[in-house]
Amino acid sequence: MVDVQYSLADVAKITGKSEKTISRWIKSGKLPAVRHGTGYLINEIDIPLRLDASISRHDFIQKRLLVSASSEVTTASAAPVSRGVDISGLIDVEKVAGLITGGQVDTPGKNLENLSLMLQKHQTELEKIIREQNELAEKYARATYKIGQLEERNRQLEEVNHRHEQKLQLLPMPEQWTNTQKEMGTLREDLVQKEISYQTRVNLLEQELKQEKEVKSSLENALEQEKNKNFWQRLGALFK
């Protein structure tokens, strides 16, 4: 069950302390509280009380608030209010409950019952509001997380786009492509001409090498014949 919350002024009425004292307790950390607009809200369970064992905490607080409300009404008004009720004599919680609930102040027990039903209704509505607030907070958290994911994805896409732009800057423009193709065609023609020239020179060198080999072979044959001729001449000279 969701804990009931009270304002700083209500806590002052319940505890019998001044609002400055309650504010000082909150600022010093003695009394837990949460910010609500320009004021504070204090959970019912955190309100410092001295309770009678025969009464519940919630009923005690409600009666203290009713008594405080009746005292304020008595102080603020010296004349009778509508319904013909003499406010100066309101010291009974039953009568104050009748005024709050709009019931008859002379109905024993009925006014407190109506007040209890009203408080239960308000409690139910408060719990519903708190549940809706929690659901909205959860949706907000999910939306915030989703936004964070989308921002991270967007950052990654921007990095990829930046890298692509850098690569595109390195690529040549269409005019540069045309000039490059012309230069490549010229270089290809030069290479073909040089290849033909080199092949011609190779053929000439091969022919010269072949001729050199033939000359060498002829010289070797002539030398061999000369050697044989000299050998036989010398051999004939020895036998003479």
Side-chain angles (χ1 to χ4, degrees):
M1 182 176 180
V2 179
D3 198 2
V4 182
Q5 293 180 318
Y6 296 93
S7 66
L8 188 147
D10 288 338
V11 174
K13 295 174 185 177
I14 294 168
T15 58
K17 304 292 183 180
S18 66
E19 293 187 16
K20 290 184 178 180
T21 300
I22 302 301
S23 178
R24 187 170 63 252
W25 286 357
I26 293 173
K27 292 179 180 179
S28 65
K30 180 179 179 181
L31 179 61
V34 293
R35 268 287 184 184
H36 182 71
T38 58
Y40 293 94
L41 288 178
I42 299 93
N43 290 330
E44 180 181 285
I45 193 65
D46 294 325
I47 299 175
L49 296 174
R50 293 182 179 178
L51 295 178
D52 185 356
S54 62
I55 188 171
S56 68
R57 183 184 188 87
H58 183 74
D59 292 340
F60 179 83
I61 290 176
Q62 296 304 318
K63 287 187 177 182
R64 289 293 296 271
L65 287 175
L66 290 174
V67 171
S68 299
S70 65
S71 299
E72 290 178 358
V73 172
T74 302
T75 304
S77 177
V81 295
S82 60
R83 304 177 186 271
V85 179
D86 185 5
I87 300 300
S88 61
L90 286 179
I91 58 174
D92 189 358
V93 175
E94 184 78 24
K95 294 180 180 180
V96 177
L99 288 177
I100 294 175
T101 59
Q104 299 296 326
V105 297
D106 57 351
T107 305
K110 189 65 176 178
N111 293 327
L112 281 179
E113 182 180 352
N114 292 338
L115 179 60
S116 178
L117 292 175
M118 181 184 294
L119 291 175
Q120 290 178 3
K121 180 180 178 181
H122 290 169
Q123 178 70 19
T124 303
E125 292 177 353
L126 178 61
E127 292 176 358
K128 180 180 178 182
I129 292 173
I130 292 175
R131 283 196 303 271
E132 292 176 352
Q133 288 178 343
N134 291 336
E135 291 176 357
L136 289 175
E138 185 177 354
K139 290 180 180 179
Y140 177 78
R142 287 198 297 267
T144 303
Y145 176 74
K146 188 66 176 178
I147 290 173
Q149 287 184 325
L150 292 175
E151 289 178 349
E152 177 63 19
R153 179 59 179 167
N154 185 49
R155 185 187 63 80
Q156 294 176 355
L157 291 175
E158 288 180 353
E159 290 181 356
V160 172
N161 185 41
H162 180 66
R163 289 197 297 268
H164 287 338
E165 288 180 353
Q166 289 179 337
K167 291 180 179 179
L168 288 174
Q169 291 177 357
L170 297 176
L171 294 175
M173 300 299 291
E175 296 179 356
Q176 295 176 341
W177 271 108
T178 303
N179 296 333
T180 303
Q181 289 177 348
K182 290 181 180 179
E183 293 176 358
M184 290 178 64
T186 303
L187 291 174
R188 189 178 294 107
E189 292 177 358
D190 292 341
L191 288 174
V192 171
Q193 295 297 329
K194 288 181 179 180
E195 184 178 0
I196 294 173
S197 176
Y198 290 153
Q199 187 64 39
T200 303
R201 291 181 62 184
V202 168
N203 293 335
L204 291 174
L205 290 174
E206 287 179 350
Q207 291 178 359
E208 291 178 358
L209 180 61
K210 184 177 180 181
Q211 292 175 359
E212 290 291 335
K213 287 181 178 180
E214 291 177 353
V215 171
K216 180 180 178 182
S217 178
S218 300
L219 291 174
E220 288 178 350
N221 291 332
L223 180 61
E224 186 66 25
Q225 291 177 1
E226 187 66 26
K227 286 181 179 180
N228 292 333
K229 182 178 179 181
N230 292 335
F231 173 76
W232 290 111
Q233 288 178 355
R234 290 178 182 177
L235 184 62
L238 290 174
F239 287 101
K240 285 182 179 181

